[in-house]
Amino acid sequence: MPDQRPNILFIMSDDHAAHAMSCYGSRINQTPNLDRIADEGMRFENCFCTNSICTPSRAAILTGTYNHINGVTTLSTHMDNRLPTFVKDLRASGYQTGMFGKWHLGQGAAHEPTGFDEWAVLPGQGLYHNPTFIFPTENGSEKRPVPGYVTDIITDMSLDFLRARDSERPFFLMCHHKAPHRAWEPDEKHAHMYLNEDIPEPPTLYDEYANRASAAEAAEMRMGLHHQPLDLKCEIPHDLPERELRKWAYQRYIKDYLRVVASIDDNVGRLLDYLDAEGLAENTVVIYTSDQGFFLGDHGWYDKRFMYEESLRMPYIMRYPAGIAAGSVNQDMVLNVDFAPTYLELAGLPPQPAMQGRSFAPLLAGECPPDWRESMYYRYWMHKTHHNVYAHYGMRSHRYKLIYYYADALGTAGSIDESYTPEWELFDLEADPYELNNIVDDPQHAELVVTLKAELHRLQADVGDERYHLDVN
Ligand code: CA
């Protein structure tokens, strides 16, 4: 008797912001194949990461725990591959499991993928063209280059896994794209898109960081000013005034970003076509997400890390004809730590006791449990390294966001040990959706600040994280 549990195809890209997907109302591109998932399934409007950077978000997804629990707080703290993950439970219960593409949780015997029947991963960030992959061997692993374009290759490997599968058992497949991560190198097929047009600019491209904590102005991720020649594939005219430099750099940056996104979209289409052709679409859960959001010129920036909306929000669309109504939209707050218990529930398995996320399987049927979360906890640990972003934590409710830049490495590996006076920010997301006006010191919001700080500290205690020693209120 074949195992009737659903297959799960988990497609995750790297640094793909929701506002570069047409199903999320993008003003700058079209993603027809990603839109198929949203149109035939559910679009989550409020899916957030708990730490907006690659390695930590990936560890949170696999383990269902926050980074102070799984130990993967920064890019330098690689995941111990003996940790329990939902994939290991799926495999033990009879799923055939595969992982292809970007892993970015460390290399070597202590960090390479475990819990997968088959895998092949990029070392570290990996390359766009003719990338080297790490393949498992009898005694460990070996590296081999694979000719071609990385997004096509990862999809080819995923399709090979599907073709070779045992059709009597369900599968769980992670198809993890490198794209659209820096340095945004398009393939030949998409290199000529947008050549003779200007991409619309985001409303905050010329942000001057007035009335924000000093962290915003200190960040080194501005269009043109902090780009490298490799990012823009040309020399950077640093003699331009900053406003003109941003305007110029934005076009070069965003066009390459959207070109690599177009390749992802095509390749997602190939996977969806395969499911259709094999009659698998009905009983396969298809997810498309990204490890965090990204600044697409918003606030004049590229990159992520901040708790600001563009970086905090993960695109998350999910199709499951047997269990999700087509064209549905969900506004409830879901987090990357929720993925693990959700997929376990869909496979008829209980969550692991240590998992901190909560299954959102009921939301798929349009039922929100009455005690579903109304606020979430966030923490970015990697103080200063790479883009001079200060370490911070905070809470977001549906309406407000409170951020505390404690601005201290706290001895965390991968951080720079230089601390600053902590600062708070509070945004009213209803009145100020672009987060330009920090109202934390406004006397008329004094009571609100007290309430939100208490909520932040409650969330922090709830997940077992520690408050910074100068966060005394
Ligand atoms: Ca990433």
Side-chain angles (χ1 to χ4, degrees):
M1 178 74 187
D3 187 336
Q4 300 290 343
R5 293 180 297 166
N7 305 302
I8 304 175
L9 168 57
F10 181 83
I11 310 170
M12 182 162 76
S13 56
D14 190 343
D15 294 358
H16 189 182
H19 51 311
M21 290 168 63
S22 35
C23 50
Y24 278 96
S26 169
R27 299 160 59 242
I28 55 175
N29 68 333
Q30 292 296 318
T31 49
N33 289 296
L34 298 177
D35 294 2
R36 281 164 69 185
I37 301 174
D39 291 345
E40 297 163 10
M42 183 174 274
R43 183 180 83 234
F44 286 77
E45 287 286 296
N46 290 304
C47 180
F48 302 119
C49 59
T50 50
N51 182 357
S52 181
I53 192 148
C54 299
T55 307
S57 181
R58 287 155 197 268
I61 288 168
L62 282 167
T63 63
T65 59
Y66 288 79
N67 297 133
H68 61 280
I69 299 291
N70 58 49
V72 187
T73 49
T74 73
L75 294 181
S76 302
T77 51
H78 295 154
M79 191 175 86
D80 183 333
N81 62 11
R82 295 168 301 182
L83 285 177
T85 67
F86 73 93
V87 182
K88 292 176 184 175
D89 286 4
L90 291 178
R91 188 186 191 199
S93 82
Y95 272 75
Q96 46 203 321
T97 57
M99 156 75 222
F100 301 97
K102 183 156 176 185
W103 178 245
H104 206 198
L105 288 160
Q107 295 181 51
H111 305 296
E112 65 195 13
T114 48
F116 298 96
D117 296 311
E118 289 177 44
W119 58 268
V121 298
L122 297 164
Q125 300 286 6
L127 298 174
Y128 274 102
H129 294 279
N130 304 317
T132 292
F133 277 79
I134 306 172
F135 296 90
T137 62
E138 269 184 31
N139 305 317
S141 62
E142 65 177 17
K143 289 182 183 175
R144 288 200 308 271
V146 180
Y149 186 66
V150 69
T151 308
D152 298 335
I153 295 168
I154 292 167
T155 307
D156 291 344
M157 288 175 167
S158 299
L159 286 167
D160 286 346
F161 170 85
L162 293 176
R163 290 188 192 105
R165 79 191 189 282
D166 171 3
S167 60
E168 301 286 296
R169 290 192 294 140
F171 64 81
F172 173 78
L173 170 60
M174 298 185 117
C175 172
H176 281 197
H177 289 299
K178 168 195 172 53
H181 191 276
R182 197 179 188 181
W184 317 292
E185 294 172 23
D187 63 344
E188 189 56 34
K189 184 179 168 194
H190 302 92
H192 305 287
M193 294 176 78
Y194 311 110
L195 270 188
N196 297 310
E197 58 185 291
D198 280 345
I199 308 293
E201 294 177 351
T204 57
L205 180 61
Y206 304 107
D207 191 353
E208 292 177 343
Y209 318 111
N211 199 21
R212 241 71 49 80
S214 57
E217 189 171 10
E220 294 172 0
M221 48 172 77
R222 294 190 207 170
M223 291 287 114
L225 187 65
H226 300 116
H227 273 126
Q228 300 297 314
L230 199 67
D231 296 329
L232 303 182
K233 292 87 184 172
C234 65
E235 287 306 311
I236 295 170
H238 281 292
D239 50 337
L240 287 178
E242 190 175 344
R243 189 181 171 87
E244 283 174 52
L245 183 59
R246 283 194 202 180
K247 188 178 189 65
W248 171 85
Y250 171 72
Q251 292 298 331
R252 290 202 66 95
Y253 155 73
I254 200 67
K255 287 180 182 180
D256 272 348
Y257 184 93
L258 297 178
R259 289 164 182 147
V260 298
V261 165
S263 168
I264 294 175
D265 188 72
D266 286 359
N267 276 292
V268 168
R270 293 173 64 207
L271 286 166
L272 297 180
D273 289 348
Y274 177 84
L275 297 180
D276 286 344
E278 294 294 308
L280 290 168
E282 182 71 18
N283 197 38
T284 300
V285 179
V286 179
I287 296 121
Y288 181 82
T289 187
S290 181
D291 54 354
Q292 9 68 209
F294 213 66
F295 296 108
L296 304 178
D298 314 282
H299 299 290
W301 290 335
Y302 62 95
D303 216 73
K304 55 259 181 180
R305 301 162 200 266
F306 276 92
M307 199 189 165
Y308 296 146
E309 289 294 273
E310 297 85 351
S311 155
L312 179 69
R313 173 167 285 111
M314 303 167 80
Y316 191 92
I317 49 179
M318 192 167 181
R319 186 183 79 175
Y320 181 27
I324 298 176
S328 44
V329 178
N330 185 283
Q331 302 287 349
D332 301 312
M333 221 178 260
V334 302
L335 308 177
N336 56 357
V337 290
D338 298 334
F339 297 1
T342 301
Y343 306 154
L344 288 174
E345 184 171 347
L346 291 175
L349 299 172
Q352 294 166 4
M355 284 180 174
Q356 296 177 297
R358 180 172 176 183
S359 168
F360 54 84
L363 305 183
L364 305 179
E367 291 158 15
C368 185
D371 60 343
W372 194 257
R373 72 171 66 83
E374 293 289 324
S375 61
M376 57 84 60
Y377 177 61
Y378 178 88
R379 183 162 184 174
Y380 176 74
W381 293 75
M382 202 167 81
H383 184 56
K384 283 179 69 72
T385 305
H386 294 164
H387 292 284
N388 206 40
V389 176
Y390 298 169
H392 56 287
Y393 55 67
M395 60 77 65
R396 187 196 192 282
S397 65
H398 282 285
R399 177 159 180 189
Y400 295 105
K401 187 184 291 177
L402 181 72
I403 308 176
Y404 184 60
Y405 297 92
Y406 61 91
D408 190 330
L410 293 172
T412 312
S415 291
I416 293 172
D417 190 14
E418 188 180 315
S419 59
Y420 304 101
T421 305
E423 291 177 277
W424 290 93
E425 279 181 337
L426 170 63
F427 299 103
D428 179 346
L429 301 172
E430 223 166 72
D432 177 27
Y434 296 116
E435 299 165 293
L436 299 171
N437 188 28
N438 174 18
I439 53 173
V440 79
D441 293 324
D442 185 340
Q444 80 181 66
H445 295 109
E447 247 178 76
L448 175 67
V449 170
V450 170
T451 306
L452 295 178
K453 280 185 183 176
E455 177 64 1
L456 167 64
H457 297 141
R458 184 195 70 79
L459 288 167
Q460 208 160 27
D462 194 46
V463 301
D465 198 10
E466 279 180 32
R467 196 193 297 195
Y468 187 65
H469 64 273
L470 295 179
D471 176 1
V472 289
N473 294 315

